[in-house]
Amino acid sequence: MIKLIVLLSMMFLHIVDDFKFQGILSSMKQKSWWKKNYPDKRYKYDYIISLIIHAFSWDFMIHIPIIIYLFYYNMYDRDFIMFICAFVFNWVIHAIVDN
């Protein structure tokens, strides 16, 4: 039952992050926004930092229930490396997919 609650919490926090906390990042993570508002060539790749920030925000939010679960069941020390790997993997994949 606790794993179902963790999963549902992750889904809820995903929705909250995408629709409530994203704000201006929803526009700034798109190449087209930068071309329209800052057409100068020196801003060509500035969307990437917004994309990375958005992916980190999303990744952190969906992992909050897992962090709480690991601390509550004293599994944080044992599974720390696995957690960090999953966190970074999700962060990178989310940024690539959104790009």
Side-chain angles (χ1 to χ4, degrees):
M1 184 65 168
I2 188 69
K3 292 180 181 180
L4 178 63
I5 293 170
V6 169
L7 178 64
L8 292 174
S9 299
M10 290 172 70
M11 291 169 56
F12 173 74
L13 290 172
H14 180 175
I15 293 166
V16 168
D17 189 65
D18 273 353
F19 295 104
K20 201 68 170 158
F21 294 148
Q22 199 171 118
I24 189 68
L25 282 175
S26 64
S27 297
M28 291 178 72
K29 70 180 185 176
Q30 299 173 17
K31 292 179 199 177
S32 60
W33 186 88
W34 287 93
K35 287 179 184 177
K36 179 180 159 191
N37 294 295
Y38 298 95
D40 194 345
K41 292 280 187 197
R42 66 181 161 179
Y43 301 113
K44 184 177 180 179
Y45 298 109
D46 282 5
Y47 76 97
I48 293 173
I49 192 66
S50 300
L51 194 62
I52 290 169
I53 291 169
H54 159 73
F56 179 82
S57 170
W58 170 83
D59 198 33
F60 184 79
M61 285 292 283
I62 67 159
H63 280 90
I64 289 174
I66 295 173
I67 293 168
I68 293 169
Y69 177 83
L70 290 175
F71 272 111
Y72 184 77
Y73 288 103
N74 294 321
M75 295 171 24
Y76 197 73
D77 292 335
R78 185 183 64 170
D79 296 331
F80 182 71
I81 299 297
M82 174 95 84
F83 173 78
I84 294 298
C85 289
F87 186 91
V88 171
F89 180 77
N90 279 326
W91 185 9
V92 169
I93 293 298
H94 190 90
I96 290 170
V97 167
D98 273 8
N99 190 18

